[in-house]
Amino acid sequence: VDVGAYKGLWISRYLRKFSKVFAYLIEPHEESFVNLQKKFRSISNVKLFKVGISNINGLKQVNVNSKAYTNSLLELDPQAPISWKKNKFEHLYQEKVEIITLYDFVKKNNIKRINLLKLDVQGYESRVLEGAEMLLKERLIDILVLEVIVAPTYKNQSKISEIFGILDRNNYNLY
């Protein structure tokens, strides 16, 4: 399961080595989702979903920024330009998107186990993991790969301590 699939670069590399795996790509941003549809239209073992993964179910705004790889369910932090001096961070507009917990997404799509969960969710990691807590408790996720931003980039972005706390209380180890 690839949450925050963006351009599908990560899963493309993974599929080169493990071509028969079944992949679920989740991307809430409309333009990125359309590009994923074009890229993976002929690959039957890749399923695409235009939703956001969170700790609650409902509707939320995706903040679309000048650098698409920074799009997030969180607003940009005023400190972002200072943290990322070489990149121009600018908020452009918002898109409404359905959000769902990973637990409910897994149930809805009849996924029995997640062998590998990749998160690239631009500061939203702790919320995604909170919405996956039952899966973690039941040991239904084998491996987690997280891209985590520690420099101030988003308002209320996940703290490393929050992420580690969720993993620790569910007996997941870092390697």
Side-chain angles (χ1 to χ4, degrees), residues 2 15 29 48 54 71 77 87:
D2 184 346
L15 287 170
H29 175 236
L48 304 171
S54 186
N71 295 342
D77 187 293
N87 293 298

Side-chain angles (χ1 to χ4, degrees), residues 6-172:
Y6 182 44
K7 290 185 175 182
L9 299 174
W10 195 89
I11 199 67
S12 293
R13 282 187 234 126
Y14 194 79
L15 287 170
R16 276 188 232 125
K17 293 187 185 277
F18 307 100
S19 61
K20 294 187 180 6
V21 299
F22 206 80
Y24 297 84
L25 277 59
I26 299 166
E27 175 56 51
H29 175 236
E30 179 68 30
E31 184 179 333
S32 297
F33 181 77
V34 168
N35 289 334
L36 288 170
Q37 286 178 312
K38 291 173 188 170
K39 183 173 186 170
F40 293 103
R41 68 176 157 244
S42 63
I43 304 175
S44 62
N45 56 322
V46 173
K47 299 283 184 200
L48 304 171
F49 299 87
K50 187 186 175 303
V51 297
I53 302 295
S54 186
N55 56 348
I56 58 170
N57 297 331
L59 294 174
K60 191 154 177 63
Q61 298 290 337
V62 174
N63 293 287
V64 180
N65 302 317
S66 55
K67 305 281 187 191
Y69 58 84
T70 69
N71 295 342
S72 177
L73 293 173
L74 299 172
E75 294 177 23
L76 288 174
D77 187 293
Q79 296 295 312
I82 297 165
S83 300
W84 302 89
K85 291 178 183 157
K86 293 183 181 178
N87 293 298
K88 183 181 177 191
F89 284 82
E90 183 182 7
H91 174 74
L92 301 176
Y93 59 92
Q94 293 182 317
E95 296 175 350
K96 192 176 284 192
V97 68
E98 175 191 357
I99 56 171
I100 186 171
T101 66
L102 190 61
Y103 179 78
D104 287 339
F105 177 84
V106 163
K107 280 191 341 190
K108 184 177 179 179
N109 290 285
N110 258 345
I111 301 169
K112 304 292 181 230
R113 167 171 227 86
I114 298 174
N115 300 114
L116 190 137
L117 172 63
K118 175 254 181 187
L119 300 182
D120 185 356
V121 293
Q122 303 309 112
Y124 217 67
E125 299 80 13
S126 60
R127 291 161 188 90
V128 172
L129 292 173
E130 286 169 2
E133 197 127 18
M134 288 301 295
L135 300 170
L136 295 168
K137 279 185 190 354
E138 296 171 15
R139 306 297 290 174
L140 295 176
I141 302 173
D142 297 325
I143 299 170
L144 288 93
V145 176
L146 288 82
E147 178 183 296
V148 180
I149 296 172
V150 294
T153 306
Y154 303 99
K155 291 181 183 176
N156 301 310
Q157 72 188 44
S158 298
K159 294 178 177 73
I160 292 286
S161 59
E162 295 169 335
I163 297 165
F164 286 4
I166 294 167
L167 296 175
D168 187 51
R169 79 172 163 257
N170 290 288
N171 299 310
Y172 277 78

